[in-house]
Amino acid sequence: MKLTMRLGARSYDIILKRGCLKNLHQFTDTARRRVFILTDSGVPAQYARTVLAQCPRGSVYTVPQGEGSKSLRVYGQVLGAMLAAGLDRKDLLVAVGGGVVGDLGGFCAATYMRGIDFVNCPTTVLAQVDSSIGGKTAIDLGPTKNIVGAFWQPKLVLADPDTLATLPPRQVANGLAEALKTGLIGDPQLFALFERGDPAQALEQIIYRSLCFKKKTVEADEHEQGQRACLNFGHTIGHGIEAVRGVSARRKTGLYHGECVALGMLPMIEDKALQKRTRAILRKLGLPTALRGDKRKILAQMQHDKKARGGAVTVIRVPGLGCWRADTVPMDELGALLGLETEALE
Ligand SMILES: NC(=O)c1ccc[n+]([C@@H]2O[C@H](COP(=O)([O-])OP(=O)(O)OC[C@H]3O[C@@H](n4cnc5c(N)ncnc54)[C@H](O)[C@@H]3O)[C@@H](O)[C@H]2O)c1
Ligand SMILES: [Zn+2]
């Protein structure tokens, strides 16, 4: 399947097809230019090798797996390696991996020589349903997520569902949390795929529907001046939880991004029956439904969230299936979202 993200001069194709990783050279010039292939140590090396085989002037650079690589230190190392590889403004960076490699690689491409071409080959469910399209690239500053970044659209996205065969089940569920987010805010049929059958059996359809909704949203509001904010549903609380309980370079155990988003969505669903249905889906997927951990620490992180502006935070609420609303919540009322007054999350 091919989708086209229509953004004028920054338009690009999104290919969703089994085995498409082998065909990168058909979609972009990999023969004549230098190609810097960025991957991480947890991505099976065969995927970067598949890309390398199509790039006579290619090289592979591998960063350590995990959110810790979205750091200024690793960012500097990658830029140094790009310079050492002799990349110039006409060359190409290809990210092969999950959201970490995509966010880091996209930001390196956005800033190296004031911007070079970037192709994203997402290999996790999370990256295929969400992070690989839309042009948001970023790294973290300590526990503060995505605070240094740029809008930099890829030239092409190649989502090959075959690469998901090696993904551990917990990572599959982690990515499905972002797709469930999409169903809740804007696609009841996508929600139904989760509710009715086995989501693992409908993976390609789930990826396709998620990409369609995100594409439409980004086309309408590329730089998040308005409606693109709906994609942040679950993320205000989610990022707070991730900063405190997330898997990081310092802490090897904890919760993944999608797991934190899952927890962040529940209290923002206003319709109690829908909240119950969502909780049942989260259980079915093996995602967490109860927030454990120090809520005061999570609150402190939320107050540092980059979306905090002028003493207030914009949060996305879902009043009913397939619709959403942006609300401005004063800083001192954020605790209520976490159930610090009422134990809404338990
Ligand atoms: N830019 C955006 O719009 C956007 C949207 C959502 C999330 N994100 C970011 O995405 C990141 C999370 O992405 P993620 O969940 O993909 O995490 P990730 O990139 O860390 O990948 C998860 C793990 O799976 C491994 N892996 C990747 N592909 C694999 C494969 N095919 N087989 C086996 N193992 C594989 C990785 O090495 C890693 O250990 C977060 O940093 C989040 O902030 C960005
Ligand atoms: Zn997310």
Side-chain angles (χ1 to χ4, degrees), residues 67-184:
E67 184 73 24
S69 280
K70 279 176 58 175
S71 65
L72 279 176
R73 192 174 58 81
V74 176
Y75 166 64
Q77 289 168 351
V78 177
L79 292 180
M82 290 166 74
L83 190 60
L87 252 69
D88 70 26
R89 296 186 73 172
K90 293 190 198 67
D91 291 329
L92 170 68
L93 188 149
V94 179
V96 182
V100 163
V101 165
D103 279 11
L104 172 68
F107 188 52
C108 290
T111 48
Y112 183 78
M113 291 191 169
R114 299 191 184 86
I116 65 165
D117 284 358
F118 169 49
V119 167
N120 207 340
C121 302
T123 65
T124 63
V125 172
L126 186 138
Q128 294 196 0
V129 299
D130 187 352
S131 68
S132 62
I133 71 164
K136 275 193 180 181
T137 74
I139 56 172
D140 309 331
L141 269 189
T144 309
K145 289 227 4 148
N146 301 333
I147 195 77
V148 180
F151 283 101
W152 192 249
Q153 299 292 344
K155 291 287 179 198
L156 169 74
V157 176
L158 275 194
D160 182 347
D162 281 350
T163 62
L164 304 177
T166 48
L167 204 60
R170 187 177 161 202
Q171 288 290 0
V172 173
N174 175 53
L176 286 175
E178 295 270 18
L180 182 61
K181 170 195 82 176
T182 304
L184 280 161

